[in-house]
Amino acid sequence: MSRPEDLPAWSALEAHRDATADVSLTTLFESDPGRFDALQGEAAGIFIDFSKNHLTRSAAGAAGDTHALLVQLARESGVEEKRDSMFSGGIVNPTEHRPSLHTALRAPRDADIRVDGDNVVPAIHEVLDRVCAFADRVRSGEWLGFTGKPITDIVNIGIGGSDLGPLMATEALAPFLHDRLNLHFVSNVDGSHLVSTCKRVGPETTLFIIASKTFTTQETLANARSAREWFLESKAQTADVAKHFVAVSTNAEAVAEFGIDTDNMFGFWDWVGGRYSLWSAIGLPVVLGIGPENFRQMLSGAHAMDRHFVEAPLESNLPVTLALLTVWYTNFLGCTSHLIAPYDQYLHRFPAYLQQLTMESNGKSVHLDGSRVDVETGPIVWGEPGTNGQHAYFQLIHQGTHVIPTDFIVPLESLNPLGDHHELLLANCFAQSEALMRGKSPDEVRAEMAAAGTSAEEIERLVGHRTFPGDRPSNTITVQRMDPAALGALIVLYEHKVFTEAAIWDIAPFDQWGVELGKQLAKAVLADLVGGRTVTSHDASTNGLLNRATQKRNIQA
Ligand code: G6Q
């Protein structure tokens, strides 16, 4: 085990941080005309400007060069070896004794990737081909509902990794969606989610996808059962379920038990983690929505970023660079959260998707060997699209007491060109990162207010309020257009960023015991909630809440 804080590069970074603490971002730009050209990178259609970060560059050598020191930390942490192990099917998920081979899902047909001695690529492409053939039948109108009508609505029932990826991607690629097919996602066990969705669709023309890796998840099974009841309340017969319900799962037995013909099931494998499963048959709603060709483009964009992550030296490796910046801010500069600000309305679920990817993967506090981690690990990830955010939470990132490193994400071209809207969007995006960095000094505020004719007294009353500290870091990530290939590459950029962070922190990114805990707890509490007895077996608060709910809901026996 390598505790990150014991590595030589860690101490070197601490010393470097202390030595460069007073250097502001604006000073760095003023003293270095080559900064933008030096601190940027491009791969798989993704361009990143990371020059607006607290990174000093030094002609004097690595000791003054933050990025070089961070790369040294990655090297000492064994990032390259761990990466190669992940790609070749090593047990990188040791607490579940599994490889984590989502990268194989986007590998080309002729690749050879082994699990327990068997090449998994042919089976991956076999399922992908079945998914695509099925999607073609639904999209063309050949697949008919029980009254002979083509499908018009797809309802994906799944949660977590079996929901967020397809939901995010179908929203992100809305301009590529099929004209006839409307996509809906039901995840929450709150009955309102299913009820409100069913109000918008008809049983004769709706296809339900029950998406669950384990096919044991309480919420998904409850929603699936209620959806089937709703379907059978129409004129449909039990035999018609086969035309309207398909499953995506690794658990054929449970799928059959639920009543879905396993001919209508699309499988995947236990070495695909839920939050990494978008690329597997879990992507079925995406294939139905954008079509097989576009989905294959998405896979090829993802694969291009995989190749970049494997082949590019750490120094110019984009996922590694983003990860190192997060380590720098989290462990050396005291930042605790990370903002994702997509300037692309279609990416409105991307922050939520990254929230799961990042926080479920790196929300850990023990090392791989089970010992306690003594440094901070995954930061809180949050965000909402710009420009909306500018009229809301941006206040805090400009003038609040927290320094929040931000990723601005923006396509250079719009998929919906409309007058000068896209110029306005781009201008706002670039202006925000500039303003966060530059800030506004008290003298600038005074001059501005004086020029507007404000009295000296009023200026002094307001100057503190209108001053911006600046020096707030950000990355700006651009793509030409947010098409399927670009989205694939963008998602994988973050997947490998998260993996690299975990490699440095020496934590396990591919398990989620906190999520498993929730699944167990709900079952135990449900038994008490519906048991009709006064409950005394929990703490006083939980007992009180359960007993109050039972009494107030009038369901006590
Ligand atoms: C993802 C998590 C979790 C999971 C859901 C749904 O990495 O494990 O979000 O995807 O709990 O699980 P099922 O697909 O098994 O229903």
Side-chain angles (χ1 to χ4, degrees):
M1 185 198 68
S2 55
R3 296 166 67 82
E5 67 272 31
D6 294 339
L7 296 171
W10 193 277
S11 319
L13 279 159
E14 282 174 334
H16 173 73
R17 182 243 351 251
D18 296 343
T20 56
D22 295 334
V23 184
S24 73
L25 287 174
T26 41
T27 313
L28 290 171
F29 273 94
E30 281 159 12
S31 61
D32 181 2
R35 186 171 174 84
F36 173 72
D37 292 331
L39 299 178
Q40 60 167 254
E42 188 164 15
I46 308 275
F47 171 83
I48 308 183
D49 165 25
F50 56 97
S51 60
K52 290 194 186 85
N53 280 293
H54 291 283
L55 302 172
T56 59
R57 298 204 306 131
S58 166
D65 186 320
T66 322
H67 190 230
L69 286 170
L70 287 165
V71 167
Q72 187 55 27
L73 177 66
R75 206 153 264 139
E76 290 174 12
S77 309
V79 165
E80 290 149 307
E81 293 80 2
K82 291 175 184 175
R83 172 197 66 195
D84 294 346
S85 174
M86 173 173 69
F87 273 82
S88 58
I91 305 294
V92 290
N93 179 358
T95 68
E96 296 179 303
H97 314 288
R98 289 173 191 160
S100 197
L101 261 182
H102 42 284
T103 51
L105 300 169
R106 47 251 182 173
R109 216 175 270 279
D110 59 358
D112 186 336
I113 301 165
R114 306 244 153 199
V115 174
D116 297 330
D118 295 329
N119 182 10
V120 294
V121 178
I124 290 169
H125 279 269
E126 192 186 312
V127 175
L128 178 60
D129 290 344
R130 274 188 67 221
V131 163
C132 291
F134 173 72
D136 276 336
R137 291 182 68 194
V138 175
R139 287 167 61 85
S140 68
E142 180 197 329
W143 182 281
L144 301 174
F146 72 98
T147 56
K149 294 183 183 162
I151 299 298
T152 57
D153 292 90
I154 314 281
V155 179
N156 188 80
I157 296 183
I159 196 164
S162 300
D163 167 71
L164 279 163
L167 170 58
M168 176 278 290
T170 49
E171 291 289 313
L173 299 173
F176 298 86
L177 293 179
H178 192 283
D179 284 343
R180 192 189 68 248
L181 295 174
N182 303 305
L183 290 154
H184 313 265
F185 291 83
V186 174
S187 50
N188 202 321
V189 76
D190 180 348
S192 304
H193 206 176
L194 182 65
V195 168
S196 61
T197 304
C198 287
K199 280 186 183 154
R200 286 184 280 135
V201 302
E204 295 172 54
T205 53
T206 298
L207 177 75
F208 289 94
I209 301 170
I210 314 302
S212 175
K213 179 177 170 181
T214 55
F215 228 78
T216 57
T217 304
Q218 189 188 51
E219 294 97 319
T220 299
L221 291 188
N223 278 322
R225 277 192 291 268
S226 298
R228 190 177 50 189
E229 274 167 33
W230 171 84
F231 174 70
L232 290 173
E233 276 162 16
S234 70
K235 295 196 181 79
Q237 305 299 309
T238 309
D240 297 326
V241 166
K243 298 191 178 83
H244 292 266
F245 284 76
V246 299
V248 180
S249 187
T250 57
N251 187 350
E253 207 180 325
V255 168
E257 199 179 309
F258 178 83
I260 294 179
D261 189 339
T262 45
D263 282 351
N264 294 338
M265 167 182 156
F266 301 93
F268 59 113
W269 304 271
D270 70 354
W271 40 261
V272 180
R275 55 194 172 278
Y276 300 89
S277 62
L278 168 64
W279 320 100
S280 72
I282 288 289
L284 176 60
V286 188
V287 190
L288 283 160
I290 65 174
E293 184 44 39
N294 279 322
F295 188 72
R296 288 182 193 276
Q297 287 295 322
M298 201 173 131
L299 292 174
S300 74
H303 180 65
M305 186 55 80
D306 281 336
R307 295 317 309 158
H308 167 75
F309 182 51
V310 170
E311 288 161 11
L314 296 183
E315 286 75 5
S316 55
N317 197 304
L318 297 187
V320 172
T321 298
L322 291 189
L324 290 172
L325 284 164
T326 291
V327 169
W328 179 230
Y329 290 120
T330 305
N331 298 118
F332 298 90
L333 299 179
C335 301
T336 54
S337 92
H338 186 88
L339 170 61
I340 305 294
Y343 276 63
D344 180 337
Q345 187 55 31
Y346 289 134
L347 283 185
H348 70 112
R349 293 302 287 160
F350 194 60
Y353 175 79
L354 289 190
Q355 213 164 41
Q356 179 189 30
L357 176 68
T358 309
M359 294 168 72
E360 201 171 335
S361 299
N362 288 348
K364 309 288 163 65
S365 51
V366 294
H367 287 298
L368 285 167
D369 70 356
S371 62
R372 243 204 106 66
V373 171
D374 287 326
V375 300
E376 297 294 341
T377 58
I380 299 154
V381 171
W382 58 288
E384 277 287 320
T387 59
N388 298 13
Q390 292 172 208
H391 300 264
Y393 66 81
F394 267 51
Q395 168 59 36
L396 187 146
I397 64 168
H398 280 290
Q399 287 189 305
T401 53
H402 303 270
V403 172
I404 302 181
T406 300
D407 287 355
F408 291 96
I409 303 172
V410 66
L412 297 179
E413 284 174 31
S414 173
L415 294 169
N416 291 306
L418 178 66
D420 62 355
H421 284 239
H422 206 68
E423 289 72 24
L424 290 170
L425 184 77
L426 281 166
N428 271 281
C429 179
F430 298 156
Q432 287 296 324
S433 72
E434 182 179 33
L436 283 167
M437 178 181 74
R438 285 198 61 235
K440 197 184 275 182
S441 69
D443 285 347
E444 284 174 298
V445 173
R446 286 190 184 96
E448 197 178 275
M449 293 182 78
T454 313
S455 71
E457 191 189 346
E458 183 70 350
I459 289 175
E460 286 318 307
R461 196 174 73 78
L462 292 180
V463 66
H465 297 277
R466 296 178 67 151
T467 296
F468 291 76
D471 215 24
R472 305 210 159 182
S474 64
N475 295 310
T476 300
I477 301 176
T478 71
V479 298
Q480 193 65 28
R481 301 160 76 233
M482 195 56 77
D483 57 20
L487 181 69
L490 182 69
I491 297 167
V492 172
L493 171 75
Y494 280 96
E495 281 186 359
H496 295 325
K497 167 189 192 277
V498 166
F499 173 80
T500 304
E501 291 164 7
I504 292 170
W505 289 320
D506 187 46
I507 58 175
F510 297 120
D511 62 20
Q512 56 284 317
W513 297 103
V515 171
E516 310 301 337
L517 173 73
K519 293 186 183 185
Q520 288 162 16
L521 291 179
K523 280 188 196 140
V525 173
L526 178 67
D528 286 336
L529 185 68
V530 298
R533 294 177 304 276
T534 299
V535 177
T536 56
S537 56
H538 301 264
D539 59 89
S541 165
T542 311
N543 287 337
L545 289 168
L546 281 164
N547 293 330
R548 182 180 162 81
T550 304
Q551 283 158 15
K552 297 280 177 192
R553 284 158 40 88
N554 269 339
I555 56 168
Q556 197 158 23

